[in-house]
Amino acid sequence: MSSRRDRLVRLGTLLRDAPHLAGPYEEAKRVVRAFRKPAFYEVATRCNLFCEGCYYFRDGFAPPAEETDPAAWERFFEAEGARGVTMAYFVGAEPALEQERLFAASRHFPYGNIGTNGTIRIDPAIPYRIGVSVWGVDEEIDASLRGGRSFHKAIRNYAGDRRAIILYTLTRANLGDARRLAEICRDNDLPLTFNMYSPTQSYLRKLQEGEGNDRAFFRISSADSNLRWDEGSLAEVRSLMPRLMDDFPETIVYSRAYNDWATQPGPLYDIDPETGVARDCHSRMIGQMRYFKTDLQPGAEKCGTSDADCSECRMYSGGWSSKFEPRDADVRDVAALTDWLEMITALGRIFLIERPAEQPLTVAA
């Protein structure tokens, strides 16, 4: 692997050879600047669904002593804004159940991204991107994967909402719903992008130990039938996404280059053999990245989705954040650089909402 300086030199050479990429490169830098100082904030420890292999409710889960004073949340977010946080990710169980906290945050961060299951509409006055998680269109698949029917509620709640983007969590069980979902999103003025289910350490342990099913987050899986990807199902996603992008160009927000990367067999990251942790995932809580729990104290999470198993992780949050800076493969030639710029364009459309120039967000000083 070459040094960052070497990659920048190579990048400069490619831009001189392909001057038509100068404009897209400047736009890519603008997008990346919005993420220059991110932080994750757990704002809820409650949820109204029971998603199979849940990312949040892991083995031995015990919620922290939760701060319930609205004034304390306000002071906390004010201090975080003063610390210079540019992009705030609001996570946890279901952030829509704690909207007063989202309101407090909205006064202090220029950009935000809220992950929700869509069953509760987030107040229109909260000015952040909303990733509405969907796991299936077919009622049986939807209920099976999420422990309750949620899809149609999500579409009703967010149809035409300029803040919302539908985030379809692909699994081996729901690939057949993807085209129908694209049609529904098109008809309801909702952009659509994709996540790939990534097993948690808790989920893998239950599979490996043959643990029996329960009534919560391990209801339907077994060693013989589960949500883990294999080479065949990865290949199916790899071929399906370009067809959908061609057929729904105004609806689907994705990238062919990213799809090729995310569906390659084997680990996507450089895995430390001693710890099992990805060394090159940019969702890791290292450097200036921070993760705060609902007690307003820093957590010890390894990444934005701490229980995810790094060796099988294809999660969109870690994947896209790992594209902020071009790697060796991205500056191999003009075609590779073009692919990287395409990815950054898609990344910006997925995670950011554009505000009218005459209506900039006012953040408290």
Side-chain angles (χ1 to χ4, degrees):
M1 180 180 293
S2 62
S3 69
R4 183 173 185 272
R5 185 179 183 281
D6 289 340
R7 288 194 297 275
L8 290 175
V9 169
R10 177 63 180 158
L11 175 62
T13 300
L14 292 175
L15 290 173
R16 286 193 296 275
D17 292 342
H20 65 284
L21 296 181
Y25 179 63
E26 290 303 313
E27 175 60 17
K29 290 196 295 183
R30 185 192 69 81
V31 169
V32 171
R33 277 197 296 271
F35 300 85
R36 64 186 179 275
K37 194 166 187 178
F40 285 75
Y41 302 101
E42 234 176 61
V43 295
T45 58
R46 299 177 295 135
C47 192
N48 56 347
L49 291 180
F50 295 90
C51 299
E52 185 76 357
C54 177
Y55 296 147
Y56 183 73
F57 293 104
R58 67 194 72 171
D59 284 348
F61 173 80
E66 190 166 337
E67 177 57 69
T68 59
D69 180 8
W73 282 90
E74 182 76 42
R75 291 191 299 270
F76 170 70
F77 286 133
E78 182 179 16
E80 284 293 283
R83 187 168 68 87
V85 171
T86 57
M87 167 58 79
Y89 295 97
F90 302 102
V91 296
E94 176 45 59
L97 293 171
E98 302 291 353
Q99 295 196 35
E100 188 173 29
R101 297 169 187 177
L102 298 177
F103 268 113
S106 71
R107 292 186 279 272
H108 302 288
F109 303 116
Y111 296 99
N113 193 282
I114 305 167
T116 179
N117 61 39
T119 58
I120 301 166
R121 188 163 190 240
I122 292 173
D123 192 289
I126 296 172
Y128 291 144
R129 189 52 139 174
I130 301 173
V132 182
S133 175
V134 168
W135 285 47
V137 177
D138 176 84
E139 289 189 352
E140 183 176 340
I141 292 175
D142 182 27
S144 175
L145 291 173
R146 309 209 79 174
R149 294 173 182 173
S150 61
F151 172 72
H152 292 291
K153 291 180 184 177
I155 297 297
R156 286 196 302 270
N157 282 337
Y158 289 100
D161 191 326
R162 60 179 292 273
R163 302 169 300 167
I165 184 166
I166 299 299
L167 175 63
Y168 192 41
T169 297
L170 297 166
T171 72
R172 288 161 59 181
N174 67 11
L175 294 181
D177 276 357
R179 179 167 294 274
R180 177 62 182 142
L181 174 59
E183 294 171 349
I184 292 170
C185 287
R186 177 197 61 200
D187 296 343
N188 285 274
D189 192 21
L190 282 165
L192 168 65
T193 192
F194 301 96
N195 183 32
M196 296 183 69
Y197 178 75
S198 301
T200 63
Q201 296 172 66
S202 300
Y203 183 78
L204 292 176
R205 182 195 62 77
K206 292 172 182 178
L207 291 177
Q208 291 162 359
E209 296 181 4
E211 188 167 313
N213 294 127
D214 55 34
R215 300 181 64 184
F217 308 109
F218 193 71
R219 301 178 313 281
I220 61 173
S221 296
S222 68
D224 297 325
S225 176
N226 56 70
L227 306 182
R228 297 176 74 181
W229 297 100
D230 56 24
E231 289 196 19
S233 53
L234 287 172
E236 189 174 353
V237 177
R238 192 182 186 92
S239 65
L240 173 63
M241 291 298 105
R243 298 199 301 272
L244 291 179
M245 292 175 69
D246 286 341
D247 293 344
F248 300 91
E250 302 303 317
T251 298
I252 291 178
V253 183
Y254 209 50
S255 159
R256 287 168 171 78
Y258 181 86
N259 179 59
D260 288 346
W261 175 79
T263 57
Q264 60 185 300
L268 299 182
Y269 303 100
D270 175 23
I271 305 298
D272 186 323
E274 293 186 4
T275 65
V277 173
R279 289 183 280 214
D280 56 345
C281 172
H282 285 201
S283 187
R284 291 281 314 281
M285 295 301 142
I286 55 180
Q288 61 181 7
M289 285 274 278
R290 298 288 184 274
Y291 187 109
F292 292 91
K293 311 286 279 187
T294 53
D295 59 0
L296 308 185
Q297 299 301 311
E301 275 62 19
K302 68 174 171 64
C303 67
T305 313
S306 191
D307 199 33
D309 183 273
C310 294
S311 67
E312 297 192 28
C313 185
R314 301 175 190 275
M315 200 171 300
Y316 90 122
S317 53
W320 283 114
S321 65
S322 297
K323 300 302 178 185
F324 284 139
E325 184 174 316
R327 302 189 181 192
D328 289 349
D330 300 318
V331 292
R332 181 180 61 251
D333 52 32
V334 170
L337 178 59
T338 301
D339 285 345
W340 179 75
L341 292 170
E342 177 206 21
M343 285 192 278
I344 298 300
T345 297
L347 184 158
R349 294 179 62 201
I350 291 168
F351 289 93
L352 305 176
I353 54 174
E354 294 299 325
R355 303 183 184 89
E358 68 275 12
Q359 296 179 354
L361 175 65
T362 300
V363 178

